[in-house]
């Protein structure tokens, strides 16, 4: 079991925001769940999850009940977290967060986030309206343009201007490591993506999920210089970040979160 202060990869979006991805360093966990996992849907020990939640809440200076994570399903459902969410019974909260792959909020001291282990996490911040979104984009969600849909939801809900938004594309599987079957390639092609820009043939097809989501952001109106690409491949850095392809699905998950101060 790993213990100690958890190590976060912080993103400098604004002094008024705490934005980060968790790593495998510090925290509590055994084997493929070590050292830090707070996802309850991947088979980890509940005691370790609770200890890790407490450690994360101390580090980002909020209550652990303010750390909100959906139960993702590789869809495109986006949920707004409003002030009254925290007052709801736990069963109702769970229903609201079921089959959801992106969250957005304008409530301070609530940390919204998504879980990944090769899929692509995206954070968006609107400085003008002090609002944020956290997006889980696996290949299915990416093909269904969840990132573009999230930008549009922020525009409709908060009045966000895409050209004023900032975004981070966090650790996820790289083009070199993401080998896919013809059916995955065909789904992206059928969805109208520029396949020359996001794919490469190396015996089998490879898809560039980070680039595909970056292109969705720019297509939505975000400026290139307001998009940060971490360039971290989870598969090639499985010692630092969870990778389901490298460690198996019975392993921990990265939590990529954003909290408005």
């Amino acid at each position: 079991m790993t213990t100690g202060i958890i190590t976060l990869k912080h993103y400098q979006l604004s002094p008024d925001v705490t934005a980060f991805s968790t790593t495998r360093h510090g925290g509590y966990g055994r084997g493929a769940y070590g050292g830090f996992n707070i996802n309850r849907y991947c088979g980890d020990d509940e005691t370790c999850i609770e200890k890790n939640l407490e450690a994360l809440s101390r580090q980002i200076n909020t209550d652990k009940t303010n750390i909100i994570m959906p139960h993702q399903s590789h869809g495109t459902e986006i949920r707004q977290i409003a002030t009254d969410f925290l007052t709801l019974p736990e069963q109702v909260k769970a229903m609201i967060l079921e089959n959801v792959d992106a969250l957005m909020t304008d409530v301070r001291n609530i940390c919204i986030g998504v879980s990944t282990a090769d899929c692509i996490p995206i954070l968006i911040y609107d400085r003008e309206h002090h609002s944020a979104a956290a997006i889980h984009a696996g290949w299915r969600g990416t093909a269904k343009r969840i990132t573009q849909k999230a930008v549009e939801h922020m525009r409709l809900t908060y009045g966000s201007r895409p050209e004023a938004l900032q975004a981070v594309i966090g650790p996820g599987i790289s083009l070199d490591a993401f080998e896919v079957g013809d059916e995955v390639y065909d789904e992206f092609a059928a969805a109208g993506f520029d396949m020359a820009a996001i794919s490469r043939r190396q015996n089998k097809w490879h898809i560039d999920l980070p680039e595909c989501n970056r292109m969705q952001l720019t297509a939505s109106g975000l400026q290139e210089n307001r998009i940060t690409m971490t360039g971290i491949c989870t598969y090639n850095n499985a010692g630092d970040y969870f990778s389901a392809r490298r460690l198996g699905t019975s392993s921990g998950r990265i939590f990529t979160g954003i909290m408005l101060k």
Side-chain angles (χ1 to χ4, degrees), residues 109-156:
N109 298 317
I110 285 181
C111 180
I112 57 171
V114 291
S115 292
T116 59
D118 289 333
C119 295
I120 310 303
I122 299 109
L123 300 177
I124 301 175
Y125 175 55
D126 179 354
R127 186 187 296 259
E128 292 180 339
H129 300 91
H130 203 45
S131 58
I135 305 157
H136 161 249
W139 76 259
R140 292 178 179 86
T142 299
K144 294 173 183 174
R145 302 181 189 271
I146 187 173
T147 299
Q148 284 179 265
K149 291 178 180 179
V151 173
E152 178 65 6
H153 270 64
M154 291 186 72
R155 187 187 69 80
L156 294 172

Side-chain angles (χ1 to χ4, degrees), residues 1-207:
M1 174 178 284
T2 302
T3 60
I5 297 173
I6 60 176
T7 300
L8 304 178
K9 178 171 178 56
H10 286 277
Y11 307 118
Q12 305 304 318
L13 287 172
S14 165
D16 299 320
V17 166
T18 298
F20 62 91
S21 292
T22 60
T23 73
R24 297 188 66 192
H25 301 294
Y28 300 82
R30 298 180 178 88
Y33 296 102
F36 183 90
N37 169 65
I38 59 171
N39 185 299
R40 288 190 166 91
Y41 309 110
C42 59
D44 197 5
D45 180 80
E46 183 65 26
T47 301
C48 292
I49 291 170
E50 281 299 312
K51 288 182 178 180
N52 287 334
L53 272 171
E54 291 166 3
L56 179 60
S57 68
R58 287 193 299 270
Q59 194 142 333
I60 65 174
N61 195 29
T62 193
D63 191 273
K64 69 178 182 180
T65 59
N66 291 358
I67 300 172
I68 300 171
M69 176 198 314
H71 188 193
Q72 300 156 188
S73 62
H74 296 275
T76 59
E77 192 67 30
I78 300 165
R79 193 78 76 233
Q80 180 186 4
I81 303 299
T83 306
D84 60 354
F85 179 85
L86 295 177
T87 67
L88 298 173
E90 291 303 315
Q91 186 175 3
V92 176
K93 289 182 184 176
M95 289 174 58
I96 291 171
L97 296 173
E98 184 67 25
N99 295 320
V100 170
D101 283 85
L103 299 175
M104 60 183 189
T105 193
D106 62 354
V107 182
R108 296 172 189 266
N109 298 317
I110 285 181
C111 180
I112 57 171
V114 291
S115 292
T116 59
D118 289 333
C119 295
I120 310 303
I122 299 109
L123 300 177
I124 301 175
Y125 175 55
D126 179 354
R127 186 187 296 259
E128 292 180 339
H129 300 91
H130 203 45
S131 58
I135 305 157
H136 161 249
W139 76 259
R140 292 178 179 86
T142 299
K144 294 173 183 174
R145 302 181 189 271
I146 187 173
T147 299
Q148 284 179 265
K149 291 178 180 179
V151 173
E152 178 65 6
H153 270 64
M154 291 186 72
R155 187 187 69 80
L156 294 172
T157 305
Y158 305 123
S160 299
R161 296 186 305 118
E163 64 271 20
L165 298 177
Q166 297 169 262
V168 171
I169 297 176
I173 198 163
S174 65
L175 169 68
D176 288 342
F178 190 47
E179 184 179 88
V180 302
D182 290 347
E183 72 283 357
V184 175
Y185 177 93
D186 291 344
E187 189 159 335
F188 278 88
F193 288 95
D194 180 354
M195 300 311 294
I198 67 163
S199 66
R200 186 170 68 211
R201 187 82 181 186
Q202 298 172 227
N203 297 320
K204 296 183 73 173
W205 284 110
H206 288 238
I207 300 287

